[in-house]
Amino acid sequence: MRRKKQPKNKAFFNKKAEALKESLTFIYKAIYALFVIGLVVFLIKTVVVTGINTEKIEIYSFSQRIQNSPELFYQDTETGRVYPGIVDLKKFSEPKTEGIYEIEKNIDFPDKGKFCAKITAYYHEINDQNFVGPPAVIEKTVYINKELYDLLEPPAKAGIKGPGSGNIYTKKSPVLLVEQGKEFEGLLEIQIIRKND
Amino acid sequence: MVGKRGQEAVEAGLMTLGILLAAVGIGLILFFYVSANADNTQFWKNFYSKDIALAANSVLGVNGDVELFYNLRNQNYNFEYEITNKGVVNVFDPPSTVPTRFHFATNTFFSQQEPESHTFSKSFPIQKKDNQIIFEEQEQKGCNIATTTDTNFLNKYLFVQAASEGAPKQLEQAVQQYLRIKHNFDFADSESTAKMSIFIGQGQEEYLQIVFIRHRLEKNQQLACILGLKLLQIPDLKIENKEVLPGYLEGKLTKEPAVLLLLPKNQDLENGFDQFPEKIAQAIIQYYS
């Protein structure tokens, strides 16, 4: 019986080999198809802008509201101008009514679950001249949305990502502190936490 | 009963069919994904809600009294903007009632103000006076609106219809012809597909009546005001703006902005009628400015 002539440069597969070849090429085709789909999706996501990220400007805008707040900083009684470099220590006080700090009346977000802030003034105690030793550092703190701040501070400081945490932004600036007509140097620290979406 | 070869053929056929169906399914998913991303509407709604809220927040964060005139950047959308006294900015894309929303920090004084919300459809001022933020409604006196010129009014699909034969029909044709030739306007076949509707009828008074239904956003009133001011430039023409209840004109005048012009009795071409198309065109262009 004559043997069937093999075509040149072509492997001759029996039935089982053919079936295996089909399966293997199918895997290859599937991987290639997934790659193409993934590439299309990636290109659309990177080229087509649908989201608008305003996180930084929201933080900046919020910090501006704090820094121009007459509830914390010295306000000239005649011109009404607020001086963000001069802190009125009398205003750094505990909440008077219903646990709401004075500054929260002027900066009130409808959505309480997004922004919070802690504003701390650090200064040295004015020592008695007879006392020998380093002056103690005094801290005075006010909050905006204290409940949320206490909740978000630990994961935010730990750098945890995700919806249950937030991004923390800290700004420190040297300021002049005013109390009972006396002026002295201090440091103001504003920590803002924005909850992750 | 199918033999071995027949069975293999069936299996191969089913496999091919399966692959084809999967390819079609994946293709359709990709198509809808691309379509959804290619539409700009949501982007602009997001943009405006955030931009207005951040502008309001920035105005409040500035020392002293400030007036900021918020100008709309993209005039291709007829969004409606609502700012509540709780510091929420809602942007609607009519007829959808689902807004895109963003917040800004208000203060106790503002949150107790009346009315509870302010609604705008065009550029508007944001003021800060004595540490309080004020959103003023657009002035209706003199119908002054935004000062920037928008040449995109050509994209506004217009519907003009005469309610009866005679002078209204003549005016309808004159207006359509004028707007088509001079300003390249597009005309819709019905009120529902149009961006603006003008109906023309024959009145029984000695003066022209501009009839409108007052809706929440007051676009009808605004259009009526602007039309009135422009048509008043026609010598010897007396005009009255008339507000009617919904249901007038058999359910027409429902989609804002829409007005009905009731011509004075005995109105004819010799009596300033020929100036109507030009004045109506000027009013439409000013409305979209």
Side-chain angles (χ1 to χ4, degrees):
Chain A
M1 195 163 92
R2 262 189 168 178
R3 202 171 179 179
K4 196 175 178 179
K5 252 193 179 173
Q6 281 191 35
K8 275 188 187 173
N9 300 327
K10 201 172 179 183
F12 179 70
F13 292 99
N14 61 14
K15 273 189 188 168
K16 281 186 185 173
E18 276 291 337
L20 180 65
K21 182 184 154 198
E22 281 297 317
S23 315
L24 288 173
T25 52
F26 183 79
I27 293 169
Y28 160 76
K29 285 173 192 169
I31 292 170
Y32 182 71
L34 279 169
F35 170 75
V36 169
I37 292 167
L39 190 65
V40 169
V41 170
F42 170 75
L43 279 174
I44 288 171
K45 276 193 173 296
T46 49
V47 171
V48 178
V49 176
T50 51
I52 304 167
N53 189 349
T54 53
E55 187 175 321
K56 284 186 179 166
I57 196 162
E58 288 171 43
I59 299 289
Y60 178 75
S61 185
F62 185 39
S63 71
Q64 284 297 107
R65 289 287 297 274
I66 294 171
Q67 288 191 285
N68 282 305
S69 165
E71 281 79 17
L72 286 180
F73 296 92
Y74 170 74
Q75 184 178 30
D76 189 274
T77 47
E78 283 186 29
T79 60
R81 183 182 164 82
V82 174
Y83 291 86
I86 306 175
V87 173
D88 190 345
L89 273 180
K90 192 174 62 181
K91 296 175 181 176
F92 264 75
S93 55
E94 287 301 310
K96 285 180 184 158
T97 53
E98 299 169 358
I100 299 170
Y101 289 88
E102 278 303 304
I103 191 172
E104 286 182 285
K105 291 179 187 170
N106 195 32
I107 305 176
D108 184 20
F109 279 96
D111 175 10
K112 300 287 181 208
K114 191 78 175 182
F115 276 103
C116 51
K118 178 182 171 187
I119 306 118
T120 312
Y122 299 93
Y123 57 100
H124 289 135
E125 188 177 19
I126 301 164
N127 280 343
D128 182 358
Q129 282 177 354
N130 297 326
F131 182 79
V132 178
V137 175
I138 301 175
E139 285 179 29
K140 277 198 172 178
T141 305
V142 296
Y143 289 89
I144 296 173
N145 203 351
K146 185 176 191 299
E147 214 177 288
L148 183 69
Y149 189 89
D150 291 339
L151 193 67
L152 291 179
E153 191 192 15
K157 283 195 168 167
I160 295 171
K161 307 285 177 197
S165 180
N167 288 326
I168 191 164
Y169 299 87
T170 307
K171 184 176 177 182
K172 289 182 188 175
S173 51
V175 290
L176 195 66
L177 297 148
V178 173
E179 190 177 40
Q180 293 171 349
K182 290 181 197 166
E183 295 169 358
F184 38 95
E185 291 166 358
L187 188 75
L188 186 75
E189 184 184 60
I190 301 174
Q191 284 187 319
I192 295 171
I193 301 180
R194 181 189 182 275
K195 192 175 177 206
N196 289 333
D197 294 323
Chain B
M1 194 170 145
V2 182
K4 253 194 191 171
R5 281 190 186 172
Q7 203 162 1
E8 279 172 11
V10 166
E11 279 172 10
L14 284 172
M15 181 81 142
T16 310
L17 186 68
I19 290 171
L20 270 171
L21 284 171
V24 166
I26 291 169
L28 280 171
I29 291 169
L30 274 177
F31 174 79
F32 285 117
Y33 178 66
V34 170
S35 298
N37 279 289
D39 181 16
N40 279 342
T41 308
Q42 191 57 40
F43 173 83
W44 283 106
K45 281 174 75 179
N46 275 338
F47 172 82
Y48 280 126
S49 60
K50 290 188 175 184
D51 200 41
I52 293 170
L54 288 169
N57 218 29
S58 302
V59 162
L60 277 168
V62 168
N63 239 322
D65 293 344
V66 175
E67 182 172 351
L68 170 77
F69 195 85
Y70 187 83
N71 235 340
L72 299 172
R73 284 157 188 74
N74 189 324
Q75 307 270 5
N76 289 329
Y77 295 96
N78 274 342
F79 294 145
E80 287 158 8
Y81 311 89
E82 184 190 35
I83 303 168
T84 73
N85 61 1
K86 301 291 177 206
V88 180
V89 175
N90 291 319
V91 178
F92 295 89
D93 180 26
S96 169
T97 53
V98 177
T100 301
R101 185 171 283 169
F102 207 70
H103 300 146
F104 67 94
T106 178
N107 55 38
T108 319
F109 175 81
F110 181 67
S111 62
Q112 288 166 357
Q113 256 186 357
E114 293 289 335
E116 279 186 8
S117 68
H118 302 263
T119 313
F120 306 94
S121 55
K122 284 196 267 290
S123 309
F124 54 90
I126 304 173
Q127 283 184 332
K128 179 174 156 258
K129 226 174 176 180
D130 300 329
N131 218 31
Q132 309 304 341
I133 193 161
I134 305 162
F135 295 98
E136 275 187 357
E137 305 285 354
Q138 290 175 21
E139 281 182 19
Q140 297 298 331
K141 286 182 201 174
C143 309
N144 284 328
I145 20 179
T147 54
T148 57
T149 308
D150 167 28
T151 52
N152 285 338
F153 60 83
L154 296 173
N155 296 330
K156 316 300 179 194
Y157 220 28
L158 182 65
F159 177 69
V160 179
Q161 189 187 54
S164 59
E165 293 296 324
K169 193 70 186 173
Q170 280 184 306
L171 183 57
E172 177 203 318
Q173 286 164 354
V175 167
Q176 284 184 346
Q177 195 176 22
Y178 183 89
L179 288 171
R180 204 173 264 129
I181 294 170
K182 289 274 185 180
H183 297 288
N184 248 354
F185 261 77
D186 267 332
F187 288 90
D189 295 323
S190 69
E191 190 185 358
S192 57
T193 53
K195 294 279 188 187
M196 177 191 277
S197 305
I198 297 175
F199 296 89
I200 305 168
Q202 184 63 61
Q204 299 303 317
E205 309 291 341
E206 297 288 338
Y207 46 84
L208 173 77
Q209 285 180 304
I210 303 177
V211 181
F212 64 94
I213 298 171
R214 187 189 287 267
H215 286 299
R216 189 174 69 96
L217 292 168
E218 302 193 338
K219 285 183 184 178
N220 293 345
Q221 185 191 11
Q222 201 162 7
L223 177 60
C225 180
I226 296 168
L227 265 170
L229 284 178
K230 287 293 173 190
L231 290 169
L232 264 177
Q233 293 168 7
I234 298 173
D236 299 325
L237 181 67
K238 291 185 188 129
I239 298 175
E240 181 199 60
N241 278 15
K242 186 178 172 187
E243 184 181 333
V244 294
L245 294 171
Y248 187 87
L249 203 64
E250 296 160 351
K252 291 185 177 150
L253 302 178
T254 50
K255 190 178 170 188
E256 291 186 278
V259 294
L260 165 67
L261 296 175
L262 285 174
L263 300 177
K265 62 180 181 185
N266 306 324
Q267 180 70 46
D268 55 34
L269 281 167
E270 289 165 9
N271 230 357
F273 192 82
D274 55 332
Q275 294 181 54
F276 269 59
E278 186 190 339
K279 297 299 174 193
I280 291 174
Q282 286 172 1
I284 294 170
I285 292 162
Q286 188 179 332
Y287 177 87
Y288 282 112
S289 293

